[in-house]
Amino acid sequence: MRFRVTPHHHNLLMDHQRLSAFYEAISSSARGVTYDLGAGSGVLSYFAAGVSEKVIAVEKDPKIAACASENLSHLENVRVVNQDALEFEFTEPADTIICEMLDTALIDEEQVPVLQRAMDFLKPDGRVIPLGILNAAEPVLMNSDNIIYDERGSDSRSAGPLRVYSRVNFKGNLDDRFRGRLKLRATGPFNGIRITTFTILQDDIICGPTPMMNPPLMIPLGSAEEPGEAEIELSYRMGGGLGSIRAEVL
């Protein structure tokens, strides 16, 4: 079908890797009463409508919510609500919660704050899409002194293997603070780390970065370090923005 969208959401719709991963997860897992939090253009609600009893699509931006209302108007079991997901009042328990407010390491979007609240309304046997994320880091030699997204894949050069350092389970006890020590092996000089996030849509569907979802995030460490084993203290707040990131070599 044809969707009316903003330019940004047009780019999201053109990201076929992202859409196909979510379509597979939603079509096989969604059921019953489904809430789509941060619904955007409504495409994930559209996927859910065919397998759910009803779908409530929640979108806070009035212009985008209007697009979603038009896009989904022919579906009798879908209702669009123009409201902030952090303030939305759930009218009945959820069988399924879809929330694609994702960002690399969940730092610069409200996925975790929204789900911290929404989990109180999920049935004990309810389902969350996606299920969670895996974060991995590697040492890099980067060209910038600022925290940047490596969207082109050309702003840095890997200086060691990628290692998983955390897993976030959206149905678990969600703590929006991360603080930990990353033990990385550098095979060459490095002056930063690159974080790559993998999205766990369901147990057998894991999606890496796509053109419009979770571009690798690069964090400078200051002056260049020599090759070898490196220990880096990293902290940030999920939903706290890039300004909450702190990183240093120990």
Side-chain angles (χ1 to χ4, degrees):
M1 63 174 290
R2 298 176 73 97
F3 269 54
R4 184 167 76 90
V5 294
T6 64
H8 172 69
H9 285 83
H10 174 267
N11 292 335
L12 289 172
L13 289 178
M14 291 299 100
D15 186 348
H16 297 152
Q17 298 173 51
R18 168 182 171 270
L19 285 189
S20 62
F22 271 92
Y23 174 78
E24 186 174 350
I26 291 169
S27 61
S28 61
S29 297
R31 57 183 171 80
V33 177
T34 296
Y35 292 87
D36 181 7
L37 306 179
S41 67
V43 65
L44 302 187
S45 294
Y46 176 71
F47 293 162
V51 292
S52 303
E53 176 187 339
K54 67 171 70 172
V55 179
I56 299 93
V58 183
E59 172 54 51
K60 73 176 181 179
D61 186 303
K63 182 177 180 180
I64 300 170
C67 290
S69 293
E70 181 178 325
N71 296 334
L72 303 170
S73 60
H74 66 292
L75 298 172
E76 295 182 356
N77 65 334
V78 179
R79 178 167 62 95
V80 177
V81 179
N82 177 205
Q83 192 172 358
D84 191 332
L86 285 168
E87 300 173 358
F88 174 71
E89 295 296 332
F90 288 76
T91 55
E92 54 188 308
D95 296 290
T96 310
I97 291 176
I98 300 169
C99 188
E100 202 283 73
M101 302 175 75
L102 298 169
D103 183 68
T104 311
L106 308 175
I107 296 170
D108 209 29
E109 289 285 352
E110 294 184 322
Q111 179 89 3
V112 167
V114 166
L115 287 179
Q116 282 175 323
R117 181 173 180 274
M119 287 301 100
D120 290 339
F121 302 94
L122 183 69
K123 293 180 180 179
D125 63 343
R127 303 176 184 189
V128 181
I129 302 171
L131 289 174
I133 63 161
L134 289 169
N135 292 319
E138 63 191 304
V140 294
L141 192 61
M142 55 186 289
N143 302 322
S144 174
D145 295 327
N146 301 312
I147 297 172
I148 60 171
Y149 289 101
D150 193 13
E151 296 176 308
R152 300 188 303 273
S154 59
D155 292 318
S156 65
R157 184 171 73 248
S158 179
L162 193 68
R163 290 184 177 176
V164 173
Y165 71 86
S166 77
R167 174 172 180 151
V168 180
N169 176 8
F170 292 151
K171 286 192 72 175
N173 182 22
L174 283 172
D175 183 353
D176 62 3
R177 301 275 179 178
F178 174 82
R179 186 182 184 90
R181 292 187 175 184
L182 284 55
K183 294 184 178 181
L184 303 178
R185 181 169 62 85
T187 56
F190 69 99
N191 61 358
I193 58 172
R194 180 166 54 204
I195 296 176
T196 302
T197 294
F198 301 87
T199 305
I200 307 170
L201 277 298
Q202 57 184 36
D203 289 334
D204 58 348
I205 303 175
I206 298 179
C207 184
T210 73
M212 290 298 294
M213 185 171 72
N214 300 341
L217 179 65
M218 299 196 303
I219 303 169
L221 297 170
S223 58
E225 302 287 335
E226 295 300 315
E229 296 295 324
E231 189 169 20
I232 297 156
E233 185 165 86
L234 175 67
S235 65
Y236 51 80
R237 185 166 67 86
M238 288 173 263
L242 300 183
S244 71
I245 298 173
R246 301 289 182 273
E248 64 175 328
V249 179
L250 299 177

